Amino acid sequence: MRSARLVVTRHGDARYGLAWLGAHLGDGYLWFTLAALGLWLGDDPLRRGVLLWIISMAVGGSLTTSSKFILRRQRPQEQHGFYSVKYDRHSFPSGHATRMGAVATWGAILFPGYAWVFIGVSLWTAWSRVALSVHYLLDVVIGLTIGVATSLLIFAVTGGRV
């Protein structure tokens, strides 16, 4: 299985710390806080772009959460501290990857010179979720796809401008 080849262990693998940090770089509170700062401190074009980014994360998150409750795919391994065991017990698709697909897309649109940073952090987060056995590889691939597709659709529907 491809997912199993990406898994790192807590003991004896130096990549574990990188995976732990990367997995939490996809946490919602971090990106919604940064978006709130953009709304507060940004100029009008940035505010519009950030608002569309927030809408993309909300729509993508709704699609992802609905899919999880319908499909109910079990996670590869029970983990603590990487998702809420009360309301996010299911694995497919990855909500963190969905959020990071939106981050990569809107980061590239709003800050084209730094697109590689947003894309890199998004891929790092997706890898980390698989490396820590929080998700299967397909979970994060589909999550990233939902985030990117939702963002591009919202960008197109709103006239392709920020």
Side-chain angles (χ1 to χ4, degrees), residues 15-110:
R15 296 176 300 167
Y16 181 84
L18 283 174
W20 185 90
L21 177 61
H24 287 292
L25 286 174
D27 290 351
Y29 71 85
L30 170 66
W31 294 101
F32 282 105
T33 299
L34 291 173
L37 284 172
L39 288 174
W40 183 40
L41 300 174
D43 58 10
D44 286 340
L46 181 61
R47 285 187 187 125
R48 176 179 162 77
V50 169
L51 183 59
L52 295 174
W53 172 23
I54 292 168
I55 292 168
S56 298
M57 288 193 293
V59 170
S62 296
L63 291 170
T64 297
T65 301
S66 300
S67 298
K68 285 183 179 212
F69 282 112
I70 292 167
L71 300 172
R72 298 178 177 266
R73 181 179 189 179
Q74 295 301 309
R75 292 184 182 272
Q77 184 177 339
E78 188 72 27
Q79 298 283 344
H80 297 284
F82 293 99
Y83 54 89
S84 171
V85 294
K86 290 183 179 182
Y87 72 90
D88 194 16
R89 299 194 60 82
H90 306 296
S91 180
F92 182 84
S94 167
H96 279 73
T98 299
R99 186 176 308 111
M100 295 310 289
V103 166
T105 304
W106 285 102
I109 291 168
L110 297 173

Side-chain angles (χ1 to χ4, degrees), residues 125-140:
T125 299
W127 164 79
S128 296
R129 306 295 290 181
V130 176
L132 296 175
S133 293
V134 177
H135 286 287
Y136 296 102
L137 184 58
L138 185 61
D139 301 343
V140 298

